[in-house]
Amino acid sequence: MLIAVTGGAGFIGSHIVDALMRQGYSVIVIDNLSSGDIKYLEKWLNDPRLKFVKADLKNCSLENMFRGCEAVLHMAANPDVRLSSVDTETVFQDNIYVTYRVLEASRKAGVKYFIFASSSTVYGDAKIKPTPEDYSPLEPISFYGASKLAGEAMVCSYAYTFGLKALSLRYANIIGSRSRHGVIYDFIVKLKKDPAKLEILGDGTQRKSYLHVSDCVEATLFLLDWLMHENVRYAVFNVGSEDWVTVREIADEVVTAMDLRNVQYVFTGGVNGGRGWKGDVKYMLLSIKKLKALGWQPKLSSRQAVRRAVYELLSETC
Ligand code: NAD
């Protein structure tokens, strides 16, 4: 079976490609390498089951690439939530316009199954935590979150109008090897530059849920399999873990793993009550009851995932 992975040279995408290749699928990856890296796919480049196309999803001819694909896993996006408060145009193009193009090409090429990498940010500052999928109103507080909600709406409409079977997966913060954005990577880079001092965006009390990329990939492929076998047109799933940790606790994990002493934490204080930046959701915990009811649950808690990710990223950034 042939599966297309957009953004398949990125952090989550490349781990998904690894898993699909190990399971015997043929895979086509379309990525412009804007934040991804071809080295993540290196071990498959001589395997005839993998085809890598370096192309920009904003303007490449996609329909032919998708022809013969059973499923499209749409992972490509600009994942930088902070950027979306200063550069809406890039986020609109890479997240909203690209999702439209990928959907349009999928329907024209006769793709049967579609998975969209959405995000917990669609909930904004949800009043209920853990937040279930049917929480409303969905009021994203960042343009990134808005772009994901717009993406979900398009995916849903394509499922009902054009016959794709589709899922929107609302990922929590995904962490682990190959991640080159997010709080852990940020702390490691800063501490390598100056081991005496760590600037922490916000007031450090931001508390969120983290999922290790190995669990994220497993959940995504579990749900793809479920979609293929269930009589369902479109569904939304939260994909996260069941605990949450503060930014300060993450700083402590990084400092301990780097074996540093007396690091001075410098809190920027942040905006709107201690958030890291405009649009940063301060408290995020997803309910994963719906996913667990299907028989899947994460192997690692947020705390365990953070610890593992810190060691993985330290070994990659030395
Ligand atoms: P990433 O930046 O590592 O991966 C995105 C990939 O898409 C990159 O390889 C990049 O080069 C590619 N890409 C971006 N724009 C493109 C374009 N116009 N044409 C072709 N390729 C393009 O990010 P990630 O963390 O792996 O995120 C993957 C997906 O999961 C994204 O949709 C992101 O919004 C979503 N997501 C991520 C997280 C997280 O914590 N990492 C959480 C929720 C949702």
Side-chain angles (χ1 to χ4, degrees):
M1 189 191 291
L2 179 61
I3 294 188
V5 184
T6 69
F11 161 46
I12 301 174
S14 65
H15 284 284
I16 287 181
V17 172
D18 283 348
L20 289 170
M21 292 295 289
R22 278 196 295 265
Q23 289 178 20
Y25 289 98
S26 294
V27 179
I28 175 165
V29 170
I30 303 123
D31 198 305
N32 65 356
L33 302 181
S34 53
S35 58
D37 197 322
I38 192 68
K39 76 175 179 221
Y40 299 150
L41 300 175
E42 222 157 40
K43 61 176 165 300
W44 306 115
L45 291 177
N46 291 325
D47 189 320
R49 288 180 300 123
L50 182 91
K51 184 174 178 195
F52 173 74
V53 182
K54 182 171 186 263
D56 192 327
L57 293 157
K58 291 194 285 293
N59 49 38
C60 65
S61 168
L62 266 176
E63 194 185 323
N64 282 341
M65 292 188 220
F66 286 169
R67 221 163 270 292
C69 287
E70 199 84 352
V72 169
L73 309 189
H74 180 37
M75 298 290 134
N78 188 313
D80 188 347
V81 186
R82 281 171 74 185
L83 176 82
S84 78
S85 67
V86 289
D87 180 2
T88 49
E89 174 68 23
T90 297
V91 177
F92 176 80
Q93 292 290 337
D94 279 333
N95 296 11
I96 299 179
Y97 180 58
V98 157
T99 298
Y100 160 72
R101 289 199 86 233
V102 171
L103 278 166
E104 190 62 8
S106 298
R107 81 162 172 110
K108 286 183 178 157
V111 169
K112 288 196 191 120
Y113 309 104
F114 193 94
I115 294 217
F116 175 57
S118 186
S119 154
S120 63
T121 56
V122 298
Y123 293 115
D125 286 328
K127 290 184 183 67
I128 298 173
K129 288 178 224 50
T131 311
E133 288 85 349
D134 58 3
Y135 175 86
S136 70
L138 293 174
E139 293 178 346
I141 61 168
S142 64
F143 189 64
Y144 169 83
S147 77
K148 289 297 177 183
L149 188 52
E152 287 191 10
M154 287 189 281
V155 174
C156 179
S157 70
Y158 268 69
Y160 283 102
T161 312
F162 302 116
L164 292 163
K165 292 179 77 179
L167 297 177
S168 291
L169 306 186
R170 293 177 180 160
Y171 293 146
N173 289 317
I174 311 300
I175 53 175
S177 155
R178 303 177 190 163
S179 168
R180 291 295 176 270
H181 55 92
V183 62
I184 299 176
Y185 185 71
D186 181 45
F187 285 171
I188 290 174
V189 170
K190 283 175 177 165
L191 284 168
K192 286 204 163 170
K193 239 189 224 160
D194 182 356
K197 195 176 81 194
L198 177 62
E199 182 200 58
I200 298 178
L201 301 182
D203 64 7
T205 67
Q206 305 97 303
R207 186 183 286 270
K208 305 181 195 195
S209 171
Y210 294 82
L211 185 72
H212 192 266
V213 68
S214 54
D215 276 326
C216 171
V217 169
E218 210 186 274
T220 302
L221 298 190
F222 173 87
L223 285 166
L224 173 63
D225 186 65
W226 177 82
L227 181 70
M228 286 174 169
H229 294 99
E230 285 301 311
N231 184 18
V232 61
R233 174 75 28 223
Y234 174 75
V236 176
F237 283 91
N238 288 336
V239 178
S241 57
E242 292 182 287
D243 60 332
W244 46 355
V245 293
T246 65
V247 166
R248 190 184 181 115
E249 286 166 330
I250 294 175
D252 292 343
E253 286 289 345
V254 177
V255 166
T256 305
M258 291 178 79
D259 205 16
L260 300 173
R261 308 262 181 281
N262 305 321
V263 177
Q264 185 198 353
Y265 290 170
V266 181
F267 296 96
T268 64
V271 295
N272 303 342
R275 297 162 196 266
W277 55 88
K278 256 191 194 167
D280 181 25
V281 173
K282 198 164 179 199
Y283 305 106
M284 183 272 286
L285 182 64
L286 302 178
S287 164
I288 56 164
K289 268 191 192 159
K290 190 172 168 185
L291 183 49
K292 279 173 76 181
L294 300 184
W296 186 88
Q297 62 180 44
K299 292 195 174 63
L300 300 180
S301 64
S302 286
R303 199 165 290 278
Q304 292 168 323
V306 165
R307 193 158 292 176
R308 185 184 291 185
V310 169
Y311 281 98
E312 288 170 345
L313 292 183
L314 275 174
S315 68
E316 288 173 3
T317 53
C318 56

